[in-house]
Amino acid sequence: MEWSVIDSELYETRRSCVVHYRGGEGVGAVAATCSASELRVAPTARLPAPRAAPRRSGTLGPRCARFALPSTHSFRDALSRRPASASFVRAHSYRVRSSLRTTYFTSFKMTESTDTPAAAAPEKTPTENGSTETPAEETPEKATEEKEKEVPPPKEMRAVVLTGFGGLKTVKILKKPEPAVAEGEVLIRVKACGLNFQDLIVRQGAIDSPPKTPFILGFECAGEVEQVGEGVTNFKVGDQVVALPEYRAWAELVAVPAQLVYALPAGMSALDAVAITTNYLVAYLLLFEMANLTPGKSLLVHSAGGGVGQAVAQLAKTVDNVTVFGVCSKTKHEALKANNNNIDHLLERGSDYTSEVRKICPDGVDIVLDCLCGEECNRGYSLLKPMGRYILYGSSNIVTGETKSFFSAARAWWQVDKVSPIKLFDENKSLAGLNLRHLLFQNGRTDYVRRAVDAVFSLWGQGKVKPLVDSTWALEDVAEAMQKMHDRKNIGKLVLDPSLEPKPKPATPAKGKSGKEKKPAKESSEEKKEKETKEEEKKPAENGEKNESKEKEKESS
């Protein structure tokens, strides 16, 4: 029987609501559940006696039958958002003390008949006393409970979850349901994850358009393909890959769109993959796509001891006669010099490094790569030669404390001079910026990024670049790894390994009922006497040894 919806009113309850409709034979109602995107309708076998509903604006009035029935045997009926004909329906969804939301739906068909034969009488079973009793009828609630018992619980995985924006305490290791691979996606069993400074900015909530918490952190992971979604032809189960998803990378399993997954060359491990991909991809785009690095040029890079800084130094040395200035903390200079350093001149962060650069290159440098922002923008621009290029690829100066600081962000913005195009025209200089996250997820330049990744992997295969890994951490120790990056103590890449066991935590002293640490129990009088007797016995022995040594000294003299 086809029912044309004229008007309806949805009352949100736990599992059901009321839908008013009118068909060719009269007025009726079905139970339904509604959500933001769809309407689930359940035609009922038998309708109870209708009662007149009070007249409301937007309803059919007293003629409309109104029922509240459970939606146990519901089926999904796709409904359009725009009226397709004159028989469209306006659905009003009410919530307590909330505004009215209006959505338009088209008519739908009821495929099940509302007339069903009467159910057969239940059979009576004899008991021991000779009497008969009827078996208990199965209610819909019991049927649903049995179905829930039959369905196995979903498999779970460990994941690094951000429960709220703020400090390190908001980062927790939780159990999450394993993701299901969708069309065009690849399911990866993660073997290594990359920690980047962008993850610290996300944790504080200082990144643009962050997702709602809680969510799984991470932008970089590598592992083995476990399942391939429909429509994916360039990957198969067992392939070793690295992926750059937008969040959700720090987990044991991750489903990633195939255009953000890259096959690893032969011989590259998952650890090397996460140490290379993001850092060397950014460095490659900075040097060869934006700065146009050629033989004989000079460049200055900030955070030279970090993952991107080391990648820039290595890639720059693949070009002949390139001079590299590196700015980093004084504590990192010795370690960088001892570790096959590719930086020609190391400069101390926080010092007047511009004057040091001018002593070596009076005209300045050709390229400045800045990941700090703030006042470093003005210093970097002042160091440029004519035809020089300043490129901003980060803003780590806004991360000063453990939590987000509006003052630091405002100060970083205020300290940057506003440069007009006319000034650039007069001075023959240029400014540029690189945001890899926007390039991938907002600009959609996945093919462009894939060509750069292939070029980086080719350089690794030729032995021209070698990633520098600072340390590897278990997922449970991610807070400690974040703190190390925040303190700028890492030299190279920080990597998370899901297979590692967490570090043992130091034992904390037991606390009493009052919350204070327990003091050692007082010694009994007998224990005190025993200690005193032992000390007295030791003293004469020590005195005898001293006398013997003195006599030997006299005899020798």
Side-chain angles (χ1 to χ4, degrees), residues 527-545:
E527 291 177 351
K528 284 183 179 180
K529 288 180 181 180
E530 288 179 0
K531 283 187 177 181
E532 289 175 359
T533 52
K534 288 180 181 179
E535 289 176 359
E536 288 175 358
E537 290 174 357
K538 287 181 181 179
K539 285 180 181 179
E542 290 175 358
N543 294 333
E545 290 176 359

Side-chain angles (χ1 to χ4, degrees), residues 165-187:
F165 299 113
L168 296 173
K169 292 182 179 179
T170 61
V171 182
K172 297 181 179 179
I173 308 299
L174 301 177
K175 293 286 187 178
K176 287 287 184 179
E178 292 186 357
V181 63
E183 183 179 356
E185 289 185 343
V186 175
L187 186 66

Side-chain angles (χ1 to χ4, degrees), residues 31-304:
T33 58
C34 61
S35 65
S37 61
E38 64 186 2
L39 180 70
R40 295 174 182 263
V41 183
T44 56
R46 290 183 178 180
L47 297 178
R51 64 182 180 86
R55 180 177 293 276
R56 297 173 182 264
S57 59
T59 65
L60 296 176
R63 292 176 55 200
C64 175
R66 178 182 177 191
F67 306 98
L69 304 175
S71 57
T72 54
H73 306 288
S74 61
F75 66 93
R76 184 174 300 180
D77 193 297
L79 300 176
S80 173
R81 289 248 174 196
R82 291 187 295 177
S85 63
S87 61
F88 67 89
V89 57
R90 171 176 289 179
H92 299 284
S93 178
Y94 291 98
R95 285 182 180 173
V96 178
R97 299 185 184 274
S98 64
S99 59
L100 180 67
R101 295 181 301 161
T102 302
T103 312
Y104 292 95
F105 298 100
T106 58
S107 62
F108 65 91
K109 292 182 180 181
M110 292 182 61
T111 56
E112 295 185 13
S113 174
T114 57
D115 298 327
T116 57
E123 296 181 358
K124 297 183 178 181
T125 56
T127 61
E128 294 179 355
N129 300 330
S131 61
T132 59
E133 66 176 10
T134 57
E137 295 182 359
E138 290 189 0
T139 61
E141 295 179 357
K142 289 183 178 180
T144 53
E145 288 178 1
E146 291 177 358
K147 288 182 179 179
E148 290 176 357
K149 290 179 181 179
E150 292 176 359
V151 177
K155 294 182 179 179
E156 293 183 334
M157 64 177 184
R158 289 183 304 145
V160 181
V161 180
L162 184 66
T163 58
F165 299 113
L168 296 173
K169 292 182 179 179
T170 61
V171 182
K172 297 181 179 179
I173 308 299
L174 301 177
K175 293 286 187 178
K176 287 287 184 179
E178 292 186 357
V181 63
E183 183 179 356
E185 289 185 343
V186 175
L187 186 66
I188 302 171
R189 175 69 62 177
V190 177
K191 296 180 180 179
C193 311
L195 175 59
N196 302 294
F197 205 89
Q198 183 175 235
D199 298 306
L200 274 66
I201 299 175
V202 171
R203 189 200 73 212
Q204 293 188 353
I207 199 167
D208 60 297
S209 303
K212 293 182 179 180
T213 56
F215 62 91
I216 300 175
L217 287 167
F219 292 92
E220 183 181 23
C221 62
E224 183 177 339
V225 175
E226 193 164 284
Q227 191 177 349
V228 176
E230 185 180 352
V232 178
T233 58
N234 52 340
F235 295 104
K236 63 182 185 298
V237 176
D239 286 349
Q240 303 298 315
V241 296
V242 64
L244 301 177
E246 189 175 20
Y247 308 108
R248 308 185 317 276
W250 292 355
E252 292 179 320
L253 278 170
V254 58
V256 188
Q259 62 265 28
L260 302 174
V261 182
Y262 313 93
L264 299 185
M268 180 181 288
S269 64
L271 184 70
D272 288 338
V274 295
I276 285 177
T277 307
T278 297
N279 291 344
Y280 285 78
L281 171 60
V282 171
Y284 184 89
L285 294 175
L286 290 172
L287 294 176
F288 302 114
E289 296 291 335
M290 304 186 72
N292 191 25
L293 182 64
T294 53
K297 287 188 176 181
S298 58
L299 69 92
L300 180 141
V301 59
H302 286 279
S303 297

Side-chain angles (χ1 to χ4, degrees), residues 347-359:
L347 308 172
E348 184 179 356
R349 182 182 179 181
S351 65
D352 186 15
Y353 61 84
T354 56
S355 59
E356 297 294 329
V357 174
R358 292 288 184 185
K359 291 178 183 178

